[in-house]
Amino acid sequence: MTRLLEILISLAIVAGLFLVVALVLPSSRHLVEKVETNRKLTIAFDSLNSLRRFKDWNPLILRDPRVQLTLSGPDSGVGARLDYVSKEEGLGKGSWEITESVPREKVSYKIVNEERGGNKRTSFSFKPTGRNNRNVEITQSYDVDYGWNLLGRYAGMYVSRHVGDDMKLGLSRIVGMLASVPNVDYAVSGSKMTGLKVVDRPVEDILFVNAGNVERGNSQIQASISANAEWLKRVIEANGLEAVGPLRIISTELGRETYNFDVAQAVRKKDGSAVGKPALQGPVQHVQTPAAKVATAAYTGYMAELDNVRNALRAWALTSGYEVVDRPYESYKSGVAGAFTENGEFDVYWVLKSK
């Protein structure tokens, strides 16, 4: 009987110590980690103002590469949400949802997971830093409440190791992810590039000529485009075809001294029948391109400025969670001669990888 009483007293002491310590422990935890990137503020903010690139930086994917991710709500901003389901022990089900979005300043998320604690939230804030503010400091904060959940308060003692380590890893992966994006601000004030969007491109019949390596000079490039456009015109007329839309230039490689590109034209039969296999002449080739989603934007300016526009379009596509494939191309809406003036009008396209 005495032995039993000693055991009960010992248990009471342990329970008392547990309660006392738990009551002293914080009822909430707050963590902060920082990292710096040399990418434009627009790129850094847009990449985290959407959940479309979640898998490219969040450590959750490393813990379970087979985790099922489901996006819902808008593509970006408040209401964008990602739900996940994992069979890995300790992960289970959860979600991330954007609850606050201040352009170029802050993005906040509500987090739901199976770990102890409630009202979990994390925020990313952005601040220009470095020489001439060329870099961006990304600060991530994390908050969790335990309230009167005493076991949760004890779990909070290890949150800096569990969540904190994930924050450090996630931020380092964000820097790596951003490094793959062309460092072009596609949303800069006064930009002549407008109408960034994703559209569906139908199946197309394309006649094209590879111009080869042309010396990088306006007169040389214009002359090559015009000469090859004549070849396309001959094949169109000889096969009862008609042009669909403006002439296109498909970029292969823009070197320091030469520019390698194709001159192309989408075509169709005048009578509405299938193009089939047209009779080709000279260097003209024919291909039927499959339907695809493409990123596109309109641009007004000199043809020589288009390389920067292509990079800006690719940067926008990547931050929006898309992957570009194949070669970019432009429709010369103002004609060949007009493209070499300050009022040249173009639609720029880049094919996106199918999901």
Side-chain angles (χ1 to χ4, degrees), residues 199-214:
V199 299
D200 291 309
R201 187 190 68 183
V203 174
E204 295 180 312
D205 282 283
I206 305 292
L207 297 178
F208 69 97
V209 177
N210 176 244
N213 290 313
V214 179

Side-chain angles (χ1 to χ4, degrees), residues 5 45 66 209 257 284 348:
L5 183 60
F45 174 80
R66 294 176 295 180
V209 177
E257 298 180 354
V284 179
V348 186

Side-chain angles (χ1 to χ4, degrees), residues 65-86:
R66 294 176 295 180
V67 63
Q68 296 180 8
L69 306 178
T70 304
L71 294 172
S72 60
D75 287 340
S76 62
V78 175
R81 178 184 172 111
L82 179 143
D83 289 86
Y84 66 86
V85 178
S86 171

Side-chain angles (χ1 to χ4, degrees), residues 66-121:
R66 294 176 295 180
V67 63
Q68 296 180 8
L69 306 178
T70 304
L71 294 172
S72 60
D75 287 340
S76 62
V78 175
R81 178 184 172 111
L82 179 143
D83 289 86
Y84 66 86
V85 178
S86 171
K87 294 181 180 180
E88 290 291 322
E89 184 178 354
L91 291 184
K93 298 179 181 179
S95 65
W96 284 56
E97 182 177 353
I98 297 180
T99 57
E100 181 184 15
S101 177
V102 182
R104 299 167 64 86
E105 292 183 15
K106 184 180 181 181
V107 180
S108 299
Y109 290 86
K110 177 178 72 174
I111 301 174
V112 175
N113 58 31
E114 297 188 354
E115 298 176 4
R116 293 188 183 275
N119 192 27
K120 300 171 187 138
R121 61 269 188 207

Side-chain angles (χ1 to χ4, degrees), residues 270-345:
K270 288 183 178 180
D271 60 9
S273 61
V275 171
K277 294 183 178 180
L280 303 176
Q281 300 180 29
V284 179
Q285 301 179 63
H286 168 252
V287 66
Q288 187 177 76
T289 58
K293 287 190 177 296
V294 295
T296 182
Y299 185 73
T300 300
Y302 289 103
M303 172 268 182
E305 300 168 336
L306 287 175
D307 188 52
N308 192 60
V309 180
R310 297 180 198 111
N311 284 327
L313 180 61
R314 179 168 176 258
W316 175 81
L318 287 170
T319 58
S320 300
Y322 298 100
E323 183 178 345
V324 298
V325 295
D326 207 350
R327 297 175 294 165
Y329 61 93
E330 296 85 40
S331 290
Y332 278 40
K333 297 192 294 184
S334 54
V336 177
F340 291 84
T341 70
E342 62 179 349
N343 297 315
E345 295 183 1

Side-chain angles (χ1 to χ4, degrees), residues 46-167:
D46 284 358
S47 294
L48 291 169
N49 191 42
S50 167
L51 286 151
R52 298 182 66 89
R53 299 210 67 182
F54 183 87
K55 60 180 174 52
D56 297 320
W57 65 266
N58 196 287
L60 175 70
I61 310 302
L62 300 180
R63 295 167 66 184
D64 181 8
R66 294 176 295 180
V67 63
Q68 296 180 8
L69 306 178
T70 304
L71 294 172
S72 60
D75 287 340
S76 62
V78 175
R81 178 184 172 111
L82 179 143
D83 289 86
Y84 66 86
V85 178
S86 171
K87 294 181 180 180
E88 290 291 322
E89 184 178 354
L91 291 184
K93 298 179 181 179
S95 65
W96 284 56
E97 182 177 353
I98 297 180
T99 57
E100 181 184 15
S101 177
V102 182
R104 299 167 64 86
E105 292 183 15
K106 184 180 181 181
V107 180
S108 299
Y109 290 86
K110 177 178 72 174
I111 301 174
V112 175
N113 58 31
E114 297 188 354
E115 298 176 4
R116 293 188 183 275
N119 192 27
K120 300 171 187 138
R121 61 269 188 207
T122 190
S123 294
F124 296 90
S125 59
F126 309 86
K127 183 180 72 173
T129 187
R131 187 175 181 180
N132 297 322
N133 286 332
R134 291 181 179 178
N135 295 344
V136 175
E137 180 183 77
I138 304 175
T139 301
Q140 182 182 5
S141 64
Y142 173 81
D143 291 273
V144 56
D145 295 334
Y146 300 110
W148 292 105
N149 184 330
L150 302 185
L151 289 176
R153 292 191 182 192
Y154 274 99
M157 297 174 63
Y158 306 98
V159 72
S160 61
R161 283 291 307 275
H162 296 158
V163 178
D165 287 352
D166 272 2
M167 288 170 64

